[in-house]
Amino acid sequence: MTLIAERPGPGAARPYRFPQVVRRTVAGGQIVAAHLPGQNLAVALLLLDAGAGRESVGKDGVGGVLAKALEEGTAQRDATAYALAIEALGTELVTGLDWDSFQVSVQVPVERLSAAVELLAEAVRTPRLDPADVRRVRDDEATALRMDWANPGPRADAALRADLFGADNRWGRPMYGDPETVAGLDVDDVTVFHSEWFIRPGTLIVAGDLERIDLDALAGAAFAGAGGGPVEKGGPIEVPLHDRRRIILVDRPGSVQSTLRLGHPSPHRAHPDHVPMTLAGTVLGGAFTSRLNHLIREVRGYTYGIRGDFASSRRFGRFAVSSGVQTAVTAPALVEAVGEITRTQLTGVTEDELTVARSWRAGQLSVELQSPRAIAAALTTLVVHDLPDDYHARLRESLLAADVDQVSAAAAAHLHPHALTLVVEGDSAVIRDELVATGLGEVVDHAP
């Protein structure tokens, strides 16, 4: 007997209200804060315009090395003394790096916030950067990357990014660098990057009960010793689409599965179509119930999972699909994935699919934006992408108000199946002829 169950329908998205946003200029820097009444924990995050996009080509990964080196002591304390000081407050430095920004944050009870921000600023503004420590951190990072790049995925990701954006551009190379570029960094690369970008004031993000927090005092601690004016952020980068599809084959001899990475450029984060694009991506590949996952996993049985979505930074974006499939079904999985992207671009989405996507995306806000750290992360989005203070307050309504015509139009405008780069990392000797036979595009061997 076969038991067939109907997939449950979407529930109503729970209401959500984003906290009040406060902005002010203090001590030469900017503060952006959210008031969380009665919250005993608070987060302070120093946001610097020092993302991977600021690195020079050939110095890929210097920001990641510097992030680790911040934990190796300061001009005032060695690594042990600094660790003891910050652990005494019950917190730790949390660093983050993306294409647009470098972030350092602490989360502590409200009454310890001022002391924690002082220690945060000490690490950011006056790190010790002892040459021996920097070299050790660099070597550790290079080793970690070598281990990661021995697995399926990173080489395929790098091949896709280079083909979409150009390996001669920093944004056409891996965000954290590769094993060779990181291993080739020297101490001066790290200290110069610090002197260029980490002395500027930046923006202090605060999420907590503002009635118990002295923002002026926090600003004084965060921006002490900082100098230099604002830097030019740069406008969106116009990335041309390819005029035809092609398959880049990354050889992995003996592999029993193939890693698939499909993609093309897409708009930047502040583009007015961001919400309908997000919903179109959700229907196509951004959820377990998506078209791609249903077809490639549930109907065909080619994979445990496949995902596709739009991702964007301040200056550029990309649409990408990722999966891993058994070697024997590499070619049909690729054909099916391109076909589903094409169908979505041509026919749009249905009301039933959009209802599920809207409910899930809007409902996630009440789950994702609960903690002080999550609120602080949302505030960084406002700063980095120059979004209005009420953006998150209106986001739920924007998601729920998007209709089939808007989302289908976004799919038609921003999905480009004819311009896809199809990267396949697998056993070339086994899959090459089948890939050629698909007719999806010219098959090009990736240079090691």
Side-chain angles (χ1 to χ4, degrees):
M1 187 175 86
T2 301
L3 178 63
I4 300 176
E6 290 293 326
R7 180 178 288 167
R14 294 183 179 183
Y16 175 74
R17 180 176 297 175
F18 196 78
Q20 176 187 355
V21 177
V22 175
R23 287 182 186 253
R24 65 174 68 171
T25 300
V26 184
Q30 299 291 321
I31 285 187
V32 178
H35 182 38
L36 308 179
Q39 177 62 254
N40 288 321
L41 282 179
V43 168
L45 182 152
L46 186 60
L47 180 67
L48 301 173
D49 195 333
R54 296 295 187 187
E55 298 173 354
S56 302
V57 172
K59 304 300 182 183
D60 317 355
V62 66
V65 173
L66 178 53
K68 297 292 177 139
L70 295 183
E71 302 174 6
E72 300 298 323
T74 69
Q76 295 86 353
R77 316 166 205 247
D78 62 21
T80 300
Y82 186 83
L84 290 173
I86 202 156
E87 287 173 8
L89 298 176
T91 189
E92 61 179 342
L93 283 186
V94 176
T95 59
L97 174 75
D98 56 29
W99 288 107
D100 302 315
S101 67
F102 190 102
Q103 306 167 18
V104 189
S105 65
V106 288
Q107 177 174 272
V108 290
V110 173
E111 62 271 13
R112 301 178 186 174
L113 187 60
S114 180
V117 170
E118 289 179 5
L119 286 173
L120 180 155
E122 183 180 317
V124 172
R125 310 300 188 189
T126 59
R128 182 171 293 246
L129 298 183
D130 179 84
D133 291 334
V134 173
R135 294 189 191 100
R136 175 172 48 79
V137 168
R138 175 204 60 197
D139 293 346
D140 287 348
E141 289 297 288
T143 298
L145 283 171
R146 290 190 191 98
M147 294 172 64
D148 186 40
W149 280 57
N151 298 315
R155 286 200 299 155
D157 291 330
L160 177 61
R161 178 165 289 279
D163 191 70
L164 298 188
F165 301 111
D168 292 337
N169 300 312
R170 179 60 188 94
W171 51 89
R173 302 161 73 92
M175 183 187 299
Y176 293 101
D178 61 39
E180 287 70 36
T181 62
V182 171
L185 296 171
D186 59 34
V187 174
D188 285 346
D189 295 327
V190 176
T191 56
V192 168
F193 191 76
H194 178 271
S195 66
E196 288 179 341
W197 302 107
F198 279 55
I199 305 302
R200 300 176 188 273
T203 301
L204 183 65
I205 305 292
V206 180
D209 188 343
L210 299 186
E211 293 183 355
R212 301 159 60 192
I213 295 172
D214 186 339
L215 292 180
D216 291 344
L218 290 185
F223 304 138
V231 295
E232 176 58 42
K233 291 183 176 181
I237 297 168
E238 296 297 328
V239 182
L241 293 166
H242 295 325
D243 58 2
R244 63 178 65 88
R245 280 195 301 264
R246 70 169 179 160
I247 300 173
I248 299 177
L249 183 50
V250 181
D251 191 20
R252 191 175 182 85
S255 179
V256 298
Q257 75 170 27
S258 296
T259 298
L260 308 183
R261 298 290 189 266
L262 294 63
H264 60 64
S266 66
H268 59 97
R269 176 63 177 78
H271 192 280
D273 283 351
H274 177 74
V275 166
M277 279 171 53
T278 297
L279 291 169
T282 302
V283 170
L284 175 58
F288 189 78
T289 56
S290 71
R291 288 180 173 185
L292 283 171
N293 204 55
H294 175 73
L295 175 63
I296 309 299
R297 173 191 160 100
E298 297 181 28
V299 176
R300 302 301 186 207
Y302 292 159
T303 183
Y304 282 112
I306 183 170
R307 186 173 183 84
D309 58 12
F310 292 93
S312 51
S313 65
R314 185 168 62 206
R315 306 189 69 189
F316 59 86
R318 64 101 184 103
F319 169 76
V321 173
S322 61
S323 186
V325 300
Q326 293 181 22
T327 296
V329 297
T330 301
L334 206 60
V335 170
E336 296 278 19
V338 172
E340 197 61 49
I341 296 168
T342 302
R343 181 171 79 89
T344 303
Q345 193 268 339
L346 292 175
T347 66
V349 304
T350 69
E351 183 61 48
D352 287 346
E353 290 173 320
L354 182 55
T355 298
V356 173
R358 281 189 307 234
S359 175
W360 181 59
R361 285 292 182 183
Q364 283 291 98
L365 296 177
S366 61
V367 177
E368 294 175 348
L369 296 178
Q370 283 294 318
S371 68
R373 192 170 288 284
I375 297 296
L379 293 179
T380 66
T381 302
L382 303 183
V383 176
V384 170
H385 302 292
D386 295 320
L387 299 172
D389 287 352
D390 64 350
Y391 174 81
H392 293 293
R394 294 185 293 104
L395 181 55
R396 179 179 181 276
E397 286 67 30
S398 298
L399 288 164
L400 294 175
D403 60 31
V404 167
D405 289 343
Q406 291 172 319
V407 176
S408 296
H414 302 298
L415 288 174
H416 304 285
H418 71 282
L420 283 166
T421 293
L422 314 174
V423 177
V424 181
E425 182 181 0
D427 191 334
S428 176
V430 176
I431 62 178
R432 193 179 209 288
D433 290 346
E434 292 183 358
L435 292 175
V436 172
T438 65
L440 289 174
E442 177 188 9
V443 178
V444 179
D445 292 313
H446 177 65

